Amino acid sequence: MFESFELDDRVLHSSGFKQEEVLHNLIHRIAEYADAIKLKSIDDQLIFTQSTGHNAWLWVSKELEVQQRDDLLRQLAERVKDSGIPGISAEPETAKAFAEAFCAAKGKLYHTYMMLKAYHCPEVRKPGHVSGSLLQAGEAHIPVVAEFTARFVEDAFGTSEQQENFLSYADEAVRAGNLYLWVVEGVPVSMAAIAHRSARHVRINDVYTPRTHRKQGYASAVVVELCQILLAEGLTPVLYADDKNPDSNKVYQTVGFVEAGQIADIKFD
């Protein structure tokens, strides 16, 4: 019923996943990990990926009837019930159906931790004039990137983190050329990162502006300029935003991002 796979063009085209890959873009990244669980149904109607310690991500074809989907998810839950999966991320109905099957098999409970909106930006809309300019972060910016990341995590997840905990992440991201800053008179005032590149898309994350610099268009500016670079390369920017954060969702929509659906982040208790 299930087999291991590599996420190549044959799988993308035969499964119908390609039409929904903006919504399920993170599956591309997870499938690159050498130790990831990578399963698909033999009829290419389901794709399941999970890296150690993180939520599994799940795609199921919309061509399946509800009963077919639920039967398939019960079989999947039985297959992976001993894999140490902490949660599931998928379209809301699919995530709920899998969570119910998995938790029934494991004797667990589940709760929805977060709802994410997926966006893609086929064409960017530049806002009015914003002072400052885009700068690719360099080695000298590693401490400020670490500080911005710590505060981003604090805002997003409510956990108080120290700058030192993110120095290694900042060092790696900066040296890979994936961190961009909006700088005004030499002072970094906003940040955005390239999280992953796939064949057709580039996922952006870690968009952050310190509280003292907010409401001045800096987040819009850094995202717009970064998107223009990516679009010029022939790649479409994508990102996920917390459904409970109206400010960030408004920023993305204003500069040209188009919603591509919702992902439910469900945790198993």
Side-chain angles (χ1 to χ4, degrees):
M1 180 57 71
F2 301 102
E3 60 185 7
S4 297
F5 72 94
E6 296 300 326
L7 199 56
D8 55 25
D9 280 343
R10 188 204 68 77
V11 172
L12 291 177
H13 286 284
S14 65
S15 66
F17 174 84
K18 187 175 181 180
Q19 284 69 49
E20 300 179 69
E21 68 176 327
V22 169
L23 181 59
H24 301 87
N25 185 265
L26 203 69
I27 286 176
H28 281 285
R29 179 66 185 101
I30 299 169
E32 291 177 357
Y33 287 108
D35 63 347
I37 298 172
K38 293 177 281 188
L39 296 173
K40 72 174 187 68
S41 60
I42 57 176
D43 60 1
D44 294 334
Q45 298 297 296
L46 177 150
I47 292 174
F48 175 94
T49 57
Q50 191 243 345
S51 59
T52 304
H54 299 283
N55 266 27
W57 274 65
L58 172 64
W59 169 83
V60 177
S61 171
K62 291 181 178 178
E63 294 180 1
L64 294 179
E65 300 291 339
V66 173
Q67 189 61 53
Q68 291 177 302
R69 179 201 68 187
D70 290 351
D71 288 344
L72 191 60
L73 292 178
R74 279 192 290 270
Q75 294 173 47
L76 176 65
E78 185 64 29
R79 172 73 178 267
V80 302
K81 68 179 182 180
D82 297 321
S83 300
I85 299 169
I88 188 71
S89 296
E91 288 186 289
E93 289 301 316
T94 299
K96 181 180 178 183
F98 177 82
E100 289 177 349
F102 184 86
C103 290
K106 295 286 288 184
K108 290 191 171 190
L109 299 174
Y110 68 89
H111 69 279
T112 300
Y113 175 70
M114 185 183 297
M115 294 294 292
L116 298 172
K117 284 185 178 178
Y119 289 97
H120 65 120
C121 183
E123 184 177 358
V124 72
R125 293 195 296 266
K126 200 164 184 176
H129 176 72
V130 178
S131 61
S133 59
L134 185 72
L135 177 68
Q136 189 173 30
E139 186 176 351
H141 298 111
I142 289 173
V144 73
V145 169
E147 176 63 23
F148 281 11
T149 306
R151 302 290 74 78
F152 170 82
V153 170
E154 185 175 342
D155 283 357
F157 304 109
T159 57
S160 181
E161 300 284 354
Q162 297 298 314
Q163 174 196 26
E164 291 75 14
N165 296 338
F166 296 94
L167 284 172
S168 61
Y169 161 78
D171 181 82
E172 181 179 351
V174 167
R175 293 184 188 280
N178 291 332
L179 253 299
Y180 289 81
L181 300 169
W182 192 257
V183 177
V184 178
E185 297 181 353
V187 178
V189 295
S190 193
M191 174 181 78
I194 293 175
H196 181 253
R197 293 172 180 263
S198 58
R200 285 164 289 278
H201 301 94
V202 177
R203 181 164 50 86
I204 296 172
N205 70 356
D206 293 354
V207 179
Y208 176 76
T209 303
R211 295 182 184 276
T212 53
H213 297 298
R214 292 178 186 175
K215 305 297 183 182
Q216 299 182 64
Y218 298 145
S220 296
V222 69
V223 169
V224 162
E225 294 294 331
L226 180 53
C227 285
Q228 287 183 320
I229 292 172
L230 300 175
L231 288 167
E233 295 177 8
L235 298 168
T236 301
V238 301
L239 55 79
Y240 297 101
D242 186 347
D243 192 34
K244 291 184 178 179
N245 190 332
D247 289 341
S248 63
N249 281 271
K250 183 178 180 181
V251 166
Y252 301 137
Q253 293 167 7
T254 299
V255 301
F257 279 85
V258 179
E259 187 177 346
Q262 282 190 316
I263 290 289
D265 178 334
I266 289 178
K267 302 298 185 188
F268 304 143
D269 301 324

